[in-house]
Amino acid sequence: MKKTILLAIAVYLISSIGLLYGYLHTPSGMIFLGGHLPNSGEILNMVLPQLREGHLLIKNLFTSEPQPRIFFAPSYLPMALLGQILPVNNFLLVQLGRFFYTILFFIIAFKFFKLLKLKNIFWAFLLLGFSSGFGLFLKWGIPNSADLWIPEINTFHSLLFSPNIIFSQILMMLSLMTFFKGYTLQKWKYFLLSGAFATLLAFEHQFDAVTVLLTILIFLLLTETKFKIWLKKIFSLWSIFFGPILVFGLYYFLIKQNWSSLIWTNQNHLYSPPLLSYISGFGLIGIGAFLAIIKSKNKKNSSYHLILSWLIAVIIVIYSPLPFQRRFGEGMHIPLVILSSYYLWELVQKLKKIPFRLGLFFLLLFSAATNFYLLYLDIKAYQLSPNESPFYIYQEDLTALSWLRNNSSDKDVILADGLYSPLIPGLIGRTVYFGHSVGTALTIDPEKKTEQAKNFFFYDSDEKRQKFLENNKITFFFLGKKAAAAEDFSLWEGKDYFRKVFERQDVKVFKVKNSLII
C-alpha cells in the first residue's frame, strides 16, 4: 500500500508539471486559472461556484435560456465542502480534488487488482498511471489518434483534464469490485453496495453506469451457462440495477420537461473516432491486451471473465447508435492495462539480451511518451500572449467579476466577449449569453449565438442592440481589460440602454436599463 500511495503522488506531481510551469510564469498583474488544452481551467468548473453558493443541484451556466436546476454532481461536493472551511479559490480546490481523487483512485485500483489476484501489481500500476499510445509517433499519419485529444482515453490524460473523470472511474471499479465479491461469496450486502456505487455513478456520468451494468450482464452470460442459474442471478441483482435505472428515468423525465435542457442535450454529438484512432491511442496496452486474450490460459477464471466482460461492454457501446458514444470509452484504459500487464511483463522477461529492468524502463518510457508530449503542449500554450490566453486573467478583471457576483443574482444573464464569456461561469457562478462550443457544446446553438454577439459588438445599430438585449433577457454587460487595447470602451457609455455600475482602470460593467431583474 505504501508503494501505491507513493506512485499515486508521483503520477499527480508529474501530471502537474504543466500547471506548475503556468503558475510560476504568471505574467505580472494577472491570475493563473489553470487548465489543459483546449480549455481554460474555469471552463469545466462551473459546478464548483454553484455548490459553494449553496445549490445542491446545478444548471448549465453557459447558455442564457431559462432552465431548472436538475443536475447533481457528487464529484465536486467534497471540494465545495472544503471551500466552506478554507478561504481558498476554486483553482486550488480543484487541485486538491485532483490530488485526493488520484490517491483514492490508486488505492481502489490496488484493492481491485488484489481481488482479481493480479500478479505484478506494481508493474500494472506503472502502466495504469503513465501508459498512453502511439499518438506522438504517428501524429503525421494518424492526426486524430485518441491519446492526443480524448481526455478520458487514459488515467494520465484524465488527470490533466478534470477530477470528475477520475471520480467516475473510482466508482466504476467500486461497483464492479463489490459485485464480484457478492458473486463469489454469494452475499447480498455486496450487491447492495454495488448498486449504491452504480447509482452515484449514474448521477455523475450516466454513460459510465451503463457500461458497468452491461459489464455485469455480459459477465453472467459468460460464466453461467444454465438458464435457471442465470435467471436466478438476474433476479438477485435487482439491487444493482434498480438505482441506476431509476436515475436514468428521473433525468429523462426532467430533461423532457424543460425545452432548453432538451435542446442542449440533443445538440451534443460526441461520436467515436475511427477504430484506427483507438488502436493508435492505446498503443502497446491495446496490443498487449489483444495478445493476452488470444494466449490466455485463464479462460475459465472468473476474474478474467470480469475484465474481459468490461472490455467487451465498452467495445459494444463506443460504436452504439447514440450521439454521445465516445464518452463510453471512459475507463476502458483499466481493463486494457489489466489484460496487457500479463503479456508485456512476460515479453520483457524474454528479452534476455537486454537487462530486465532496463527493458522494462524503456518499454514504459515509450508507452508514456505521448503523455509527456501533452505536458509540453500545455507548457507551450501557457506562453501565449496574455491578452490572447484563456489561462490567465487580469487582477482588475477578477475584482470587477467579484463585484458582479456580489451585485447580481442567479437569474441574471451576462454578455461579454469571447475572451471572458468562457470564464465567467467558472469564476463567479453566473449565467452568460454564450461561451462554450467545444466538444459537448454547453451553449445552445453556439454558432448562431456567436454570430449574434459579434454583430452586437461591431455591426448592429443601437435599435437592433437594444432589441437583442431585451429578447435574450441580458441584464449585465462586461468589458474586460484584455480587449481594452483594441476597443474604445467609452463608446458604450453614452448608450441609452446601458448604465455604468462599475469601473476599475480598463474594466467596465454596465447594467442594462429597464431589465426586469434588479
Side-chain angles (χ1 to χ4, degrees):
M1 184 63 74
K2 186 178 179 180
K3 284 185 177 180
T4 299
I5 294 174
L6 289 175
L7 179 62
I9 294 173
V11 173
Y12 173 80
L13 291 175
I14 293 173
S15 69
S16 301
I17 288 174
L19 289 172
L20 182 62
Y21 175 91
Y23 176 77
L24 294 176
H25 289 78
T26 301
S28 177
M30 302 193 83
I31 305 295
F32 181 55
L33 301 178
H36 166 62
L37 283 172
N39 297 321
S40 93
E42 298 300 327
I43 286 278
L44 295 177
N45 295 338
M46 69 170 180
V47 176
L48 198 48
Q50 295 185 69
L51 292 175
R52 293 188 75 175
E53 281 196 341
H55 300 291
L56 184 60
L57 299 180
I58 63 166
K59 65 177 183 177
N60 177 10
L61 300 180
F62 284 98
T63 198
S64 57
E65 290 77 10
Q67 55 184 299
R69 294 184 174 277
I70 60 175
F71 298 104
F72 177 53
S75 62
Y76 285 92
L77 274 178
M79 291 174 261
L81 291 173
L82 188 61
Q84 301 301 321
I85 302 170
L86 302 176
V88 296
N89 60 30
N90 290 346
F91 170 70
L92 185 55
L93 285 176
V94 170
Q95 303 318 309
L96 291 172
R98 284 181 62 238
F99 178 76
F100 174 74
Y101 287 147
T102 301
I103 302 296
L104 186 59
F105 174 85
F106 279 94
I107 290 174
I108 299 302
F110 177 80
K111 293 183 177 296
F112 189 34
F113 290 1
K114 285 202 74 173
L115 179 66
L116 299 174
K117 299 179 181 178
L118 186 66
K119 298 178 181 178
N120 307 311
I121 289 180
F122 189 71
W123 163 243
F125 267 21
L126 289 173
L127 293 176
L128 184 64
F130 294 106
S131 64
S132 186
F134 297 143
L136 172 61
F137 308 103
L138 300 178
K139 62 178 182 173
W140 292 276
I142 309 177
N144 67 336
S145 182
D147 55 331
L148 289 173
W149 62 281
I150 298 181
E152 62 270 17
I153 191 69
N154 59 55
T155 303
F156 193 90
H157 202 161
S158 297
L159 272 173
L160 286 176
F161 197 72
S162 176
N164 72 325
I165 297 179
I166 292 295
F167 177 82
S168 291
Q169 294 180 35
I170 290 171
L171 290 178
M172 292 178 83
M173 286 191 290
L174 283 172
S175 185
L176 291 174
M177 278 174 61
T178 47
F179 158 72
F180 190 66
K181 288 194 77 170
Y183 176 83
T184 53
L185 299 176
Q186 292 297 300
K187 290 189 176 181
W188 185 269
K189 65 178 182 180
Y190 291 111
F191 291 144
L192 289 173
L193 274 174
S194 179
F197 290 130
T199 302
L200 196 59
L201 181 61
F203 279 112
E204 185 72 31
H205 283 150
Q206 295 79 44
F207 35 83
D208 289 338
V210 171
T211 301
V212 167
L213 299 185
L214 185 58
T215 298
I216 292 172
L217 285 176
I218 294 173
F219 173 81
L220 291 174
L221 288 170
L222 290 177
T223 55
E224 302 295 351
T225 55
K226 294 182 179 179
F227 179 75
K228 287 184 179 180
I229 298 177
W230 191 87
L231 194 61
K232 184 180 178 182
K233 298 285 184 186
I234 286 293
F235 279 110
S236 67
L237 293 177
W238 68 268
S239 53
I240 299 176
F241 287 78
F242 179 76
I245 291 174
L246 188 64
V247 174
F248 298 155
L250 177 64
Y251 272 141
Y252 180 80
F253 172 78
L254 292 174
I255 289 172
K256 284 287 187 182
Q257 298 305 304
N258 180 258
W259 67 270
S260 59
S261 299
L262 184 61
I263 293 172
W264 166 47
T265 53
N266 285 340
Q267 78 175 14
N268 291 328
H269 292 172
L270 278 178
Y271 294 112
S272 296
L275 183 60
L276 185 61
S277 175
Y278 279 119
I279 293 173
S280 171
F282 286 113
L284 286 174
I285 300 302
I287 295 171
F290 176 73
L291 293 173
I293 292 171
I294 292 176
K295 299 187 176 185
S296 175
K297 298 176 182 178
N298 302 307
K299 293 186 177 179
K300 293 184 179 180
N301 187 300
S302 57
S303 300
Y304 170 81
H305 284 147
L306 180 66
I307 300 307
L308 183 62
S309 299
W310 189 351
L311 186 58
I312 293 171
V314 174
I315 292 172
I316 290 172
V317 290
I318 59 172
Y319 288 112
S320 60
L322 294 169
F324 49 88
Q325 56 185 213
R326 196 201 83 195
R327 297 304 302 271
F328 286 114
E330 190 170 304
M332 181 163 55
H333 188 234
I334 299 171
L336 286 174
V337 163
I338 294 172
L339 290 170
S340 64
S341 63
Y342 289 112
Y343 184 80
L344 293 178
W345 178 269
E346 293 174 0
L347 177 65
V348 174
Q349 285 181 312
K350 292 177 181 177
L351 299 175
K352 296 180 180 179
K353 294 183 179 181
I354 304 175
F356 174 63
R357 292 175 184 244
L358 187 62
L360 200 62
F361 172 77
F362 280 112
L363 186 64
L364 183 63
L365 191 64
F366 178 77
S367 182
T370 299
N371 287 331
F372 297 135
Y373 175 67
L374 294 176
L375 289 175
Y376 162 75
L377 291 180
D378 281 348
I379 290 172
K380 192 175 179 181
Y382 296 145
Q383 297 170 2
L384 289 171
S385 167
N387 284 342
E388 298 175 358
S389 174
F391 306 108
Y392 299 97
I393 191 170
Y394 284 103
Q395 180 64 60
E396 293 87 346
D397 291 326
L398 205 55
T399 300
L401 288 172
S402 296
W403 180 93
L404 187 51
R405 178 190 60 220
N406 295 330
N407 292 273
S408 62
S409 74
D410 181 53
K411 296 179 181 179
D412 279 301
V413 177
I414 301 168
L415 175 65
D417 64 21
L419 292 171
Y420 290 96
S421 284
L423 306 179
I424 291 172
L427 285 170
I428 64 172
R430 292 293 180 262
T431 303
V432 292
Y433 169 69
F434 77 117
H436 188 267
S437 59
V438 179
T440 51
L442 297 175
T443 299
I444 292 176
D445 203 352
E447 294 81 8
K448 180 182 177 182
K449 283 193 170 184
T450 302
E451 186 64 26
Q452 288 179 341
K454 182 180 177 182
N455 289 336
F456 177 90
F457 274 94
F458 300 110
Y459 306 117
D460 284 347
S461 64
D462 283 338
E463 185 180 352
K464 284 186 176 180
R465 284 170 175 159
Q466 190 164 5
K467 201 168 188 179
F468 169 81
L469 295 170
E470 291 174 357
N471 290 342
N472 293 286
K473 296 180 174 57
I474 293 168
T475 53
F476 284 97
F477 182 47
F478 179 86
L479 295 171
K481 187 174 179 178
K482 289 185 178 183
E487 298 178 31
D488 185 3
F489 288 174
S490 63
L491 296 175
W492 298 102
E493 296 192 25
K495 303 300 182 183
D496 294 336
Y497 41 83
F498 281 149
R499 175 169 57 91
K500 187 168 63 176
V501 291
F502 183 91
E503 183 175 15
R504 178 69 58 88
Q505 294 184 9
D506 294 321
V507 186
K508 299 180 190 295
V509 180
F510 295 89
K511 184 81 165 68
V512 178
K513 290 182 180 179
N514 300 322
S515 60
L516 297 176
I517 303 170
I518 304 300

